[in-house]
Amino acid sequence: MSNWWQDRIVYQVYPRSFQDSDGDGIGDIPGIISHLPDLKELGVGILWLSPVYSSPNDDNGYDISDYRSIHPAFGSMDDMDRLIAEAALLDIKLVMDLVINHTSSEHEWFQKSRDPGSPYRNYYIWRPGVNGGPPNNWTSFFAEKCWEYDDRSGEYYLHLFSRKMPDLNYHNPSVLSEIEDIMRFWLDKGVSGFRCDVINILFKTSLEDGRKKLILTGSEHYISQDGAHGILRHLRSDVLDHYDCFAVGETVFVTPAMARDLCDTSRGELDMVFSFEHMESDQIIVKWFKRRFRAGRFARVITRWQNELAWNANYLENHDQPRSVSRFGCDAAYWKESAKMLALFLLSLRGTPYLYQGQEIGMTNFDFKSMDDVRDIESHNVYRLLRRWHLPKKMCWHIISTSSRDNARTPMQWNTSGNAGFTTGTPWLSTNQNYRRINAEDQRKDPSSIWNFYRRMITLRAGSDTLKYGTFHARTTSNRLFCFEREYKGELLTVLISFAPKKQRAPCSGGLLVSNYDRTSYDGMLSPYEAVILRNEVDQ
Ligand code: NOJ
């Protein structure tokens, strides 16, 4: 028996950039509601909403100032209730982003905690300075220091992200019970689960100095600690177990062994995790230093995770990653072919597939010309750091333009009208000018489009127990070809994926189930970026 979250496709909406309904240049909940029928038509079964809560937007909503209210730019709580209800009518489940490692510094708890005598003091991690400096040598995820001195309280507070995002203190049981109440609030409203932001770093075992590293000095004190597992078990038994819902964790720096612990059903923590190792296969130590994408390396990482975990959360894009067609495919000569190849690849893996808005039409990395166009706080911090290291401007810009999170955050390209139909106003982040060529309206009408291919693959998967539940076995993981098999109850599907811009021989027999090219049978030759699934029957 499978769970509903294993049978459905998840679609992530980054609300700021999805659809603006009132002309203020920021996407909103009524805009999302207006596209629910399109998502249904595509075959989406679960909608994951990046944060829509009240927030001063230091990190576009990942800095929450009130977990029980909606940011006015996104709409009202009535809009949210309507979204939940209208999605339910279409049998689309809604999953919220649960950001509980930190709050915004404008959250009431934090403002109160600045008073050393307040009962909220221990909601956050406050420490006196050491030798006139911060309490330890840790460094933050956003390329800056991670302690901020607060005049009012005469101490420093810890923030693993921006200074406006103080970390909560999970040594204090009151924090856990506040979070559990927030979860119940949303589950009682009818949401079906949570995507849990950086959930494996919640618990800081100690605040000792960390081993000096190029990035994230101190992380050995908080990555996947026993305390974090304990908290997850509480969230499961106190809250999640009482609802028909699921939890997917965003887990940084996890190995397959750590992920297995997090997802082991007998431990009662998470249902699945987003890992990062495949996203790291084109980088050197940090995401800002990219190396040439080598499909073989990528395929071996995917294979390892497929083999070592019972169930994966499979993704190629999200709001933090560059666009997959620009990164793992070819966004020039083979844009359409390679985007469809990635669709077939993602939907043929074992695990729940996650699509990110725009992926279904092959949206590409941004076409910005300078830092003036970039809005992301992390990109600006890193740019400043690189300039401090005296790297030439041109090189800094190259680094930002290939790796910035804003690559994924440009407005959704709906049609050929101004600003791609995203807004009638001025978009908060510029639209990619390729929207006249790449947009949803045109692709829905074109039977050979990327959108229609996603739809076809989603339908194929929905009707195939082998694609959903079959075993995974890799046959070839080279730089040009990734070949793997899925097998279930006497059916063997062989998936051949070409990552090469050239034709190649890949002999294999079987009936052709699907190809991203227009063909009716397979002759052992793959066209550039071609992907096929071949079907055979085998003895059980
Ligand atoms: C991970 C989120 O995906 C990212 O967008 C955010 O900046 C950090 N967590 C901090 O919440």
Side-chain angles (χ1 to χ4, degrees), residues 220-257:
E220 67 274 25
H221 296 292
Y222 57 77
I223 302 265
S224 293
Q225 304 290 297
D226 285 347
H229 289 286
I231 287 160
L232 287 171
R233 282 197 287 277
H234 270 290
L235 299 182
R236 166 75 50 189
S237 59
D238 299 348
V239 184
L240 299 170
D241 273 350
H242 304 275
Y243 296 84
D244 179 19
C245 66
F246 82 107
V248 50
E250 184 206 28
T251 50
V252 289
F253 302 106
V254 283
T255 59

Side-chain angles (χ1 to χ4, degrees), residues 483-517:
C483 170
F484 57 86
E485 294 168 343
R486 305 290 315 278
E487 189 180 334
Y488 188 74
K489 293 193 177 165
E491 183 179 63
L492 177 74
L493 299 181
T494 306
V495 184
L496 295 166
I497 309 274
S498 166
F499 279 95
K502 292 191 195 121
K503 279 189 157 209
Q504 61 177 307
R505 284 186 61 73
C508 193
S509 57
L512 182 76
L513 199 60
V514 61
S515 160
N516 59 339
Y517 276 70

